[in-house]
Amino acid sequence: MNTRPPTARAAEVSAGQPVPPGVTTDVLIVGAGPAGLAAAVELRRLGAGSVVVADRDDEAGGIPRHSEHTGFGARDLRRVLTGPGYARHYAEAAAAAGADIRLGTTVTGWGGLSASDPPRVGGLPSAGSPHSAGSPHSAGGQHMATLTSSAGVDTVAARAVLLATGCRERPRTARVVPGDRPPGVMTTGELQRRVYLGGQELAGQALVVGAEHVSFSAMVTLAHAGAEVVALVTDRPRHTSYAAFALAASWRWHVPVWSSTVVRRVSGRGRLDGAELADLVTGETRFVPCDLLVFTGDWIPDHELARAAGLDMDPGTKGPAVDTALATSVPGVFAAGNLVHAAETADVAALGGGHAARGIAAFLRDGLGPGSPPGPVRLPLTAEPPLLWVAPNALRAGGPAPPRGRFVLRSDVFARLARLEVWQDGRRLATGVSFGMKPDRPVRLGASWTSRADPGGGPVTVRLA
């Protein structure tokens, strides 16, 4: 890819660095968060060739960079770090491994599927389709992308692509909360950037919308910035985080959780005056004065690039549909991290990135070439309500186990003890048990049953018994 040694190349981790014209690489990774950086480290360790990592931020590391609390790295690094320390670990490891990290760089173009594409077989393009090797989308086995930075615009040709663009919280506008539009209304992400990256102090009273893990993190950030948190507000009948978090909120910060409560209206001209809240049980409304209103959780994948490329999307996760190797519907394109399961912890995302790297290395070694037969059939894997989604959400004959040997699901109900069942064509493939099922929290399902699925059968479904 270049004539300089990998160590010198990897040292160029700076925003808007000059981009050599017509870059060719083995793997392009979009996103320099935990999943993307962990994948870069693993790809280099496996000897999978050159790796370019592109991220629109000016620093590598993703969301952990502005999450000052501890608890990062327990599963993947086997030690506990603060968010910034965790981000530095992976940024430095990827650079040391020889990855070419391009910051302040946005993927602004990527060849997508044309309207004339023939039908896909089992979620994969049929032989000779525009997405077979040698097609315009991957001409000569190369995926073409356009990178834009302060240095200009250039193209990258890659044999494989990993999308690790993460997820984001839905802002107030996406939640359709009516009222005025004063300053002081934000998401947790904006709050943490202001406080931990910008060093802002935020005085006054604050109201937090949500009562999941990230909501309690927002409460701690607000207290750190000097604000007084009035309460956490959730439309759920109770919080969905750890009991210890709620106890700490009550005992140390004296912050209650107002359950079964929603924000009906935001008020304030020029500055935030407060919010009108409604009790979903009694119907009673009240006005709560506040200077800051923070919307937390309610995650959605950053899926714009995946959609622009024409990847098959999963209606449950709202991210690209992936099989257990984290391969998408387009050969050579993979997805990992919270793009495919919004939102898991950073270490789970990093482990998923490493898993995707092994799938990419196998693809580069054995991938489709000119004259190759069609890929194996993919069976859709779906979740029935009140389960919301399952990831990965496709099975491939002979494919590997999913990341960490298990599938991840979300539920819309609370249950102390729930039995999961896996079905295909009226045949039960497996059962599992989930203890303490809660909305917004992961539900795990082992993968030992996947070999019992019939590759020639219909979709596989996970349901509650």
Side-chain angles (χ1 to χ4, degrees):
M1 178 176 153
N2 59 77
T3 57
R4 284 175 289 174
T7 52
R9 185 66 173 175
E12 297 181 2
V13 184
S14 59
Q17 60 176 293
V19 181
V23 176
T24 300
T25 186
D26 291 296
V27 184
L28 170 64
I29 298 176
V30 185
L37 294 175
V41 172
E42 182 68 359
L43 284 164
R44 295 292 295 168
R45 187 189 72 82
L46 293 171
S50 55
V51 177
V52 171
V53 183
D55 195 287
R56 62 192 175 196
D57 278 351
D58 292 337
E59 292 184 42
I63 289 177
R65 290 189 302 114
H66 47 84
S67 299
E68 286 283 348
H69 60 81
T70 189
F72 291 85
R75 295 179 180 90
D76 54 340
L77 304 181
R78 304 298 181 185
R79 63 182 187 274
V80 177
L81 302 173
T82 64
Y86 184 80
R88 281 194 301 273
H89 167 86
Y90 271 112
E92 293 170 357
D100 182 357
I101 305 174
R102 301 176 178 275
L103 302 173
T105 301
T106 302
V107 178
T108 53
W110 186 15
L113 304 182
S114 68
S116 59
D117 285 347
R120 300 183 181 198
V121 178
L124 288 174
S126 58
S129 78
H131 297 289
S132 298
S135 72
H137 184 80
S138 54
Q142 301 289 315
H143 295 271
M144 307 300 296
T146 302
L147 303 185
T148 302
S149 72
S150 60
V153 179
D154 211 334
T155 58
V156 171
R159 296 171 60 201
V161 175
L162 172 63
L163 299 179
T165 48
C167 64
R168 63 181 183 272
E169 295 164 297
R170 292 182 194 270
R172 170 200 170 180
T173 51
R175 305 184 197 212
V176 198
V177 178
D180 303 319
R181 298 183 179 276
V185 181
M186 65 194 77
T187 62
T188 311
E190 181 183 350
L191 169 68
Q192 292 180 335
R193 283 179 177 270
R194 287 188 180 191
V195 174
Y196 295 129
L197 297 185
Q200 289 189 20
E201 294 183 359
L202 300 172
Q205 293 189 313
L207 194 63
V208 176
V209 182
E212 55 182 282
H213 289 340
V214 70
S215 313
F216 290 93
S217 177
M219 178 199 70
V220 174
T221 301
L222 286 163
H224 175 83
E228 177 188 353
V229 181
V230 177
L232 275 67
V233 178
T234 176
D235 59 351
R236 305 282 189 188
R238 53 188 181 274
H239 73 84
T240 58
S241 187
Y242 298 123
F245 285 10
L247 287 173
S250 176
W251 291 351
R252 180 175 177 180
W253 288 282
H254 307 291
V255 176
V257 175
W258 293 341
S259 58
S260 301
T261 302
V262 296
V263 178
R264 289 290 190 217
R265 186 176 180 83
V266 177
S267 297
R269 299 292 178 90
R271 63 181 297 275
L272 178 62
D273 293 327
E276 180 183 296
L277 306 183
D279 188 306
L280 296 177
V281 177
T282 65
E284 178 185 353
T285 62
R286 54 177 166 155
F287 183 81
V288 178
C290 61
D291 305 286
L292 299 163
L293 183 62
V294 182
F295 286 88
T296 68
D298 195 5
W299 303 96
I300 185 170
D302 269 323
H303 54 204
E304 288 77 10
L305 191 58
R307 287 187 178 276
L311 305 183
D312 285 351
M313 306 298 289
D314 181 76
T317 65
K318 297 179 174 58
V322 292
D323 62 23
T324 53
L326 300 185
T328 71
S329 56
V330 173
V333 180
F334 293 72
N338 283 329
L339 174 62
V340 298
H341 49 55
E344 290 291 296
T345 57
D347 51 3
V348 171
L351 290 169
H355 184 89
R358 292 184 284 277
I360 293 169
F363 172 84
L364 294 177
R365 184 182 64 245
D366 309 322
L368 297 176
S372 297
V377 171
R378 288 159 50 112
L379 291 173
L381 177 62
T382 62
E384 285 189 2
L387 299 175
L388 300 176
W389 52 258
V390 57
N393 29 54
L395 301 177
R396 185 179 62 183
R404 305 176 64 216
R406 65 197 74 177
F407 294 89
V408 180
L409 302 96
R410 282 292 188 279
S411 167
D412 198 35
V413 297
F414 292 85
R416 289 187 177 181
L417 180 64
R419 192 176 78 170
L420 300 168
E421 294 183 342
V422 184
W423 290 82
Q424 182 190 33
D425 297 334
R427 182 170 59 101
R428 188 169 62 191
L429 303 180
T431 60
V433 175
S434 174
F435 297 95
M437 179 182 288
K438 292 182 179 181
D440 308 317
R441 294 274 295 276
V443 177
R444 314 291 188 194
L445 175 66
S448 60
W449 54 268
T450 55
S451 61
R452 295 193 285 274
D454 179 6
V460 178
T461 302
V462 184
R463 65 180 68 154
L464 291 181

